[in-house]
Amino acid sequence: MVLLLFSVSAIAHLLTLYFAPGEIALKLGTKLVPILILIFFSFFEGDWKDKTGKFILIGLVFSLFGDTFLALPGNYFVFGLGSFLVAQIFYSIGFSAGNPVHILRSIPYFVFGASFYFWILPGLGNSLLIPVAVYVTAICTMGWRAASRESSRASYWKAFAGALIFIASDSLIATGKFTSVAVPWNGLWIMITYYAAQFLIYDSVEET
């Protein structure tokens, strides 16, 4: 049921982006519904009772705030970035609960994060140098913690894939915003990867 509702609502938003990109209220409403669905099912299915699930639920709530800020007219990028920063921190805590450190598994994430940051650095401007660096660190940490879990095979791979796809989604945002590289249909790809990542992270919480 959750997958069906989530998929239909996500497709509704993608269609809105394509057919009615200027309708701000419609874009905002359809953008928030998929995450609201995940929050609803996380709470009422009892995911919050799990040591990981409670932090994933809080991360989804802050993701909802981030989605709202980024969809509003005007320049709310920093507020959106801050909301998603908090979401990444809670996801990292959730993935870390009761799990080993596995320092070596952090290497590919932070090599990518540092390389990507220095690639987009010329387009950041002084005001975003530190906020973006902190966010890149946070999302790479989230990816590392997802890769360090000890859980069932299905749960592990959902979290691992969700974290990687989330990193890819945010990389597309940064590429479009801070570089001159033109990615065809970038807005659609951002939302497709974003929704896929959020669903996989939600679904990685093991039933209690």
Side-chain angles (χ1 to χ4, degrees):
M1 176 62 74
V2 59
L3 177 58
L4 176 62
L5 292 174
F6 180 83
S7 299
V8 169
S9 61
I11 291 170
H13 179 63
L14 297 176
L15 291 173
T16 300
L17 289 180
Y18 186 81
F19 290 107
E23 298 293 332
I24 302 300
L26 185 60
K27 281 173 60 179
L28 176 59
T30 56
K31 185 179 185 182
L32 300 183
V33 170
I35 304 303
L36 282 170
I37 288 171
L38 297 185
I39 292 171
F40 176 87
F41 279 95
S42 291
F43 186 80
F44 287 99
E45 289 180 346
D47 287 354
W48 57 273
K49 297 177 183 178
D50 179 83
K51 61 185 177 182
T52 295
K54 64 170 65 74
F55 294 110
I56 299 301
L57 175 57
I58 297 171
L60 286 169
V61 171
F62 277 95
S63 294
L64 186 71
F65 294 154
D67 282 334
T68 303
F69 282 123
L70 294 179
L72 290 174
N75 187 13
Y76 294 96
F77 179 78
V78 172
F79 296 99
L81 188 72
S83 298
F84 277 112
L85 170 65
V86 176
Q88 301 304 341
I89 290 171
F90 278 107
Y91 286 161
S92 295
I93 295 171
F95 292 147
S96 297
N99 289 299
V101 176
H102 286 311
I103 289 292
L104 290 178
R105 297 187 189 183
S106 71
I107 294 174
Y109 292 94
F110 289 106
V111 168
F112 169 79
S115 302
F116 187 80
Y117 178 75
F118 284 108
W119 180 59
I120 64 173
L121 186 60
L124 291 180
N126 291 334
S127 62
L128 289 176
L129 289 177
I130 294 177
V132 172
V134 171
Y135 185 80
V136 170
T137 302
I139 196 167
C140 288
T141 299
M142 188 270 291
W144 162 42
R145 299 316 301 149
S148 301
R149 295 180 72 202
E150 289 186 352
S151 59
S152 70
R153 184 178 180 86
S155 178
Y156 176 86
W157 285 108
K158 287 173 184 177
F160 179 77
L164 282 183
I165 296 171
F166 213 137
I167 292 171
S169 182
D170 281 350
S171 297
L172 286 172
I173 294 175
T175 298
K177 190 171 183 64
F178 302 123
T179 77
S180 59
V181 176
V183 179
W185 304 103
N186 196 40
L188 288 175
W189 284 117
I190 287 169
M191 294 312 301
I192 289 170
T193 51
Y194 170 70
Y195 285 140
Q198 292 283 34
F199 183 83
L200 286 167
I201 289 172
Y202 152 83
D203 204 39
S204 72
V205 179
E206 296 181 298
E207 293 184 6
T208 56

